């Protein structure tokens, strides 16, 4: 049913799938990769370092 | 807080608001239209009347357009958590992780699996199994919303968790306290009922356009009948859930309630503002009248907030400067307690490094005792705890006024359709058509009340927004703000254009 459904997509269905793929590509391969790093994962190696950093930030007034 | 920090916080908030608002343009139809489709398909299966199948398929097409373009737009909010709000994200990671994991495992897969069955299975499955798929899509999408709203509710009312000073994370001690907190339940019910109203307005409005064009009249009348009944029931339900939400706000976020009502000085037997224009020169501490003009329903705010018509409802001034008579602490006391709490965290950390267990235990006990006001430590002056009153007040009152207008529209469209007089009521059809954007406006305003009203907090009383941001350059956040503005505007324009084209094409014969 799934294969058959995808094989016989209407023009609207095809358009929507194209939009979905373009959108997901922009989101995951452009925005996420180049603009939205996980800052704490990038800047620290271990969870302990991350915890220490956050505690430092909370203590700093 | 430096000027640079303030700019970073403002741009991070603006970006989050922008993406959340755009995301919410897509969500309501997914939540509400799915139930309207399920209802019309149920009528088709019960009656065998092909007209109902045609009708269901048409609304399902519009549902599909909305779903396809809106799907995954919420993930951008999660990107922002990790980048712009990394401190916040670290602290709440354990709380957000559980509900969002449940959402991912159950609700999303339930929803996405049966969406394919729903679209591809019309001629391949039995009528009853197809109907079951449609209902499961409706329940699955609403279940997704539940888990996301649980996470949001926790920020407003952090419960079922304990802060771990070793990991700097709020850790869950009771999943059910988080998932079934009265705040979460009310927020979920109130939010989904607003989505149902948006969807009902959409169906009534589009059908009214067909009536005005004298096209697909039988189809349009059937659609109006179902959607207007759905709209009336949702509107009555939203009054109940709105009351429940306001009651919770009164207990847990009295400042938000005071801002919603423009209430500066609390009193016993407080009235509800039915209509009001705020005095723009009013300051928190002065004695000027907060309103240029107002219409007030006596005692109603006390009754709704505390189930007692003579109850004292605290105002902004009481919550900022305190009110001894009613046992309301000044915010300055909370700031002092917050500072003690932060110092206790510092002492805990130093004692841990020194290996002094006794000092650690003493510091931990003090931290636990004062943690409920931890976030107050970061304020320089008490007035910082007040949200934007003008924005919250007008958003709330416009939302409520529109809500009552929609109820009237649903009653009238139902009545005149039932009485076979709807064709002659051109004015009503026009009003219904133009109510579609008003539905979205009211729903968005609800979020403005909820989110602006809880400022300055990212987590109520624990973490102010300006302590929750990452150390990024303002320029980086501005860049992604405009990238999102372009991306979402393209998506929204694409959705509106495709929807209009499908509506103009009309239901397939």
């Amino acid at each position: 049913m799934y294969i058959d459904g995808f094989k016989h997509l209407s023009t609207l269905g095809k358009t929507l799938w194209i939009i979905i793929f373009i959108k997901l590509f922009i989101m995951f391969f452009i925005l996420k990769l180049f603009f939205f790093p996980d800052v704490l994962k990038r800047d620290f190696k271990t969870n302990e370092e991350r915890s220490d950093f956050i505690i430092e930030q909370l203590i700093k007034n | 807080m430096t000027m640079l920090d303030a700019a970073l916080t403002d741009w991070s908030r603006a970006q989050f608001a922008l993406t959340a608002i755009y995301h919410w343009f897509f969500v309501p139809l997914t939540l509400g239209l799915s139930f309207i489709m399920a209802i019309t398909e149920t009528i088709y299966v019960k009656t065998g009347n092909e007209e109902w199948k045609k009708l269901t398929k048409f609304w399902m097409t519009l549902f599909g357009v909305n779903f396809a373009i809106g799907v995954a737009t919420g993930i951008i909010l999660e990107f922002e958590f990790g980048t712009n709000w990394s401190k916040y994200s670290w602290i709440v990671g354990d709380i957000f992780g559980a509900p969002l994991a449940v959402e991912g495992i159950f609700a999303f897969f339930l929803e996405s699996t049966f969406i394919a069955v729903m679209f591809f299975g019309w001629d391949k499955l039995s009528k009853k199994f197809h109907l079951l798929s449609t209902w499961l899509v409706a329940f699955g999408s609403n279940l997704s919303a539940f888990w996301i709203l649980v996470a949001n509710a926790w920020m407003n009312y952090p419960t079922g968790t304990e802060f771990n000073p070793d990991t700097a994370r709020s850790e869950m001690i009771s999943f059910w306290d988080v998932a079934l907190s009265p705040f979460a339940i009310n927020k979920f019910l109130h939010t989904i009922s607003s989505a149902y109203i948006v969807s009902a307005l959409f169906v009534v409005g589009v059908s009214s356009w067909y009536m005005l064009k004298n096209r697909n009249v039988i189809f349009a009348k059937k659609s109006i009948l179902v959607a207007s009944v759905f709209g009336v029931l949702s509107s009555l339900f939203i009054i109940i859930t709105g009351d429940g939400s306001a009651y919770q706000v009164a207990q847990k976020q009295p400042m938000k309630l005071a801002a919603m009502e423009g209430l500066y000085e609390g009193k016993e037997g407080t009235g509800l503002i039915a209509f009001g224009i705020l005095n723009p020169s009013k300051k928190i501490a002065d004695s000027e009248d907060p309103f240029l003009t107002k219409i007030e329903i006596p005692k109603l705010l006390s009754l709704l907030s505390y189930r007692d018509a003579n109850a004292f409802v605290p105002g902004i001034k009481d919550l900022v400067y305190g009110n001894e008579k009613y046992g309301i602490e000044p915010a300055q006391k909370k700031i002092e307690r917050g500072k003690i709490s932060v110092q206790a965290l510092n002492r805990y950390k130093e004692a841990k490094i020194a290996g002094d267990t006794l000092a650690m235990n003493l510091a931990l006990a003090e931290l636990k005792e004062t943690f409920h006001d931890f976030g107050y430590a970061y304020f320089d002056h008490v007035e910082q705890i007040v949200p934007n009153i003008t924005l919250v007040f007008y958003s709330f009152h416009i939302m409520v006024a529109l809500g009552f207008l929609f109820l009237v529209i649903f009653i009238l469209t139902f009545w005149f359709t039932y009485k076979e007089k709807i064709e002659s009521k051109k004015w009503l059809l026009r009003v219904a058509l133009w109510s579609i954007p008003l539905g979205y406006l009211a729903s968005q305003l609800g979020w403005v009340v909820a989110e602006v009203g809880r400022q300055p907090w990212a987590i109520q009383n624990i973490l102010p927004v300006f302590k929750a941001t990452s150390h990024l350059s303002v320029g980086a956040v501005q860049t992604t703000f405009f990238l999102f503005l372009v991306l979402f505007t393209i998506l929204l324009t694409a959705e509106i254009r495709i929807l209009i084209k499908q509506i103009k094409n009309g239901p397939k014969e």
Side-chain angles (χ1 to χ4, degrees):
Chain A
M1 184 182 67
Y2 284 81
I3 295 167
D4 200 40
F6 281 109
K7 270 185 184 170
H8 297 98
L9 279 178
S10 63
T11 311
L12 173 66
K14 284 176 190 158
T15 310
L16 293 175
W17 275 109
I18 290 168
I19 291 174
I20 290 172
F21 283 126
I22 293 172
K23 177 179 63 178
L24 292 179
F25 177 79
I26 292 171
M27 281 168 59
F28 287 99
F29 292 99
I30 298 176
L31 292 174
K32 180 64 183 161
L33 277 185
F34 298 105
F35 295 99
F36 284 92
D38 188 319
V39 173
L40 292 178
K41 265 192 187 158
R42 183 193 63 189
D43 295 347
F44 301 98
K45 281 185 186 144
T46 64
N47 278 346
E48 201 181 339
E49 284 177 359
R50 291 177 195 116
S51 296
D52 289 345
F53 170 73
I54 297 295
I55 287 171
E56 279 299 326
Q57 295 297 311
L58 290 176
I59 289 168
K60 199 168 71 178
N61 203 341
Chain B
M1 194 167 55
T2 66
M3 291 285 280
L4 202 63
D5 287 342
L8 177 63
T9 304
D10 288 346
W11 275 102
S12 298
R13 282 185 64 202
Q15 187 184 87
F16 200 85
L18 174 86
T19 40
I21 285 170
Y22 268 96
H23 177 55
W24 191 251
F25 276 120
F26 301 107
V27 178
L29 276 194
T30 304
L31 298 182
L33 201 51
S34 53
F35 273 117
I36 294 177
M37 283 155 22
I39 293 166
T40 56
E41 192 178 339
T42 304
I43 300 173
Y44 161 62
V45 172
K46 288 259 179 201
T47 62
N49 182 341
E50 289 292 317
E51 192 70 30
W52 286 102
K53 183 180 179 184
K54 184 175 87 176
L55 188 149
T56 305
K57 279 186 147 184
F58 174 74
W59 294 114
M60 206 171 269
T61 303
L62 301 192
F63 170 88
V65 172
N66 178 70
F67 186 85
I69 295 179
V71 73
T73 51
I75 289 174
I76 287 178
L77 297 169
E78 293 191 31
F79 292 174
E80 289 171 30
F81 282 141
T83 304
N84 300 1
W85 305 94
S86 61
K87 290 181 220 161
Y88 160 83
S89 190
W90 180 261
I91 293 167
V92 304
D94 288 1
I95 311 307
F96 273 41
L100 295 182
V102 176
E103 189 250 336
I105 293 165
F106 292 108
F108 182 73
F109 283 109
L110 180 78
E111 183 186 0
S112 49
T113 305
F114 284 98
I115 275 184
V117 175
M118 188 177 82
F119 279 106
F120 298 151
W122 273 109
D123 303 318
K124 296 177 181 65
L125 300 167
S126 71
K127 279 183 185 178
K128 284 189 178 170
F129 189 77
H130 189 275
L131 177 63
L132 178 70
S133 308
T134 310
W135 278 105
L136 287 175
V137 167
F139 281 113
S141 54
N142 280 262
L143 202 56
S144 291
F146 174 71
W147 294 112
I148 292 161
L149 292 167
V150 162
N152 178 275
W154 183 85
M155 295 191 277
N156 286 269
Y157 175 50
T159 183
T161 57
E162 197 171 75
F163 180 75
N164 183 338
D166 293 313
T167 59
R169 303 191 90 152
S170 282
E171 294 174 352
M172 197 177 292
I173 50 173
S174 167
F175 175 78
W176 296 112
D177 280 356
V178 176
L180 300 179
S181 89
F183 230 96
I185 300 295
N186 274 293
K187 182 172 269 291
F188 169 65
L189 295 176
H190 195 57
T191 308
I192 58 165
S193 42
S194 89
Y196 297 165
I197 291 172
V198 172
S199 304
L201 283 170
F202 179 79
V203 173
V204 171
V206 171
S207 305
S208 296
W209 182 79
Y210 285 122
M211 300 287 291
L212 286 165
K213 294 283 174 190
N214 204 21
R215 282 182 52 189
N216 308 97
V217 171
I218 296 170
F219 158 88
K221 280 184 185 172
K222 285 184 189 299
S223 296
I224 290 176
L225 266 184
V226 171
S228 57
V229 171
F230 188 69
V232 169
L233 295 175
S234 301
S235 297
L236 295 174
F237 188 56
I238 209 169
I239 294 170
I240 299 166
T241 59
D243 172 62
S245 289
Y247 178 76
Q248 291 302 329
V249 166
Q251 316 306 312
K252 311 295 181 197
Q253 295 176 307
M255 181 60 83
K256 187 194 275 187
L257 184 78
M260 283 158 66
E261 279 295 294
L263 181 69
Y264 281 79
E265 291 190 41
K267 59 178 181 177
E268 291 175 5
T270 312
L272 186 84
I273 305 295
F275 171 81
I277 297 174
L278 292 171
N279 178 354
S281 59
K282 170 74 183 164
K283 301 279 184 293
I284 298 169
D286 68 23
S287 54
E288 272 197 53
D289 192 331
F291 291 95
L292 296 177
T293 181
K294 67 175 176 181
I295 300 168
E296 191 175 334
I297 305 168
K299 294 182 184 273
L300 191 57
L301 187 63
S302 288
L303 184 66
L304 295 175
S305 306
Y306 297 97
R307 307 301 189 229
D308 173 1
N310 295 312
F312 176 81
V313 182
I316 294 160
K317 220 169 165 176
D318 305 297
L319 295 164
V320 172
Y321 305 114
N323 186 325
E324 213 177 327
K325 185 181 171 193
Y326 292 98
I328 298 168
E329 246 186 0
Q332 188 57 42
K333 279 266 182 206
K334 294 183 180 185
I335 290 175
E336 285 160 16
R337 200 178 298 118
K339 287 185 192 301
I340 291 169
S341 201
V342 170
Q343 283 163 9
L345 179 64
N346 193 16
R347 283 207 314 282
Y348 179 85
K349 189 197 108 188
E350 286 171 354
K352 192 178 160 189
I353 293 167
D356 185 345
T357 315
L358 179 65
M360 274 173 75
N361 288 339
L362 285 171
L364 188 60
E366 189 162 47
L367 178 65
K368 280 187 178 174
E369 198 184 311
T370 53
F371 191 71
H372 53 89
D373 286 331
F374 186 88
Y376 281 92
Y378 305 113
F379 296 122
D380 299 321
H381 53 89
V382 286
E383 289 81 6
Q384 280 177 287
I385 68 163
V386 182
N388 184 324
I389 297 161
T390 310
L391 187 55
V392 177
F393 175 84
Y394 286 117
S395 298
F396 176 65
H397 284 80
I398 294 169
M399 175 192 73
V400 172
L402 286 172
F404 280 104
L405 171 71
F406 300 151
L407 177 60
V408 173
I409 291 171
F410 289 134
I411 291 171
L412 291 178
T413 50
F414 168 74
W415 182 249
F416 288 123
T417 309
Y418 180 70
K419 288 284 173 187
E420 294 286 349
K421 288 179 182 171
I422 191 78
E423 289 102 320
S424 61
K425 306 292 175 191
K426 302 281 185 208
W427 63 271
L428 180 60
L429 294 171
R430 285 193 192 97
V431 169
L433 175 60
W434 289 106
S435 294
I436 297 174
L438 292 180
Y440 282 95
L441 175 68
S443 199
Q444 297 283 5
L445 289 176
W447 277 111
V448 171
V449 174
E451 298 304 302
V452 179
R454 73 182 169 95
Q455 295 304 313
W457 301 107
I459 307 169
Q460 186 73 36
N461 297 357
I462 307 298
L463 189 72
V465 283
F466 59 82
K467 282 299 277 187
T469 52
S470 307
H471 293 293
L472 300 171
S473 75
V474 178
V477 184
Q478 285 171 327
T479 306
T480 46
F481 174 91
F482 289 108
L483 273 175
F484 283 145
L485 187 64
V486 172
L487 176 68
F488 276 104
T489 305
I490 290 170
L491 285 175
L492 198 61
T493 310
E495 160 149 358
I496 293 169
R497 287 183 66 150
I498 297 172
L499 282 178
I500 289 174
K501 193 178 171 197
Q502 292 305 312
I503 291 165
K504 281 185 176 169
N505 288 344
K508 285 180 186 147
E509 292 304 326

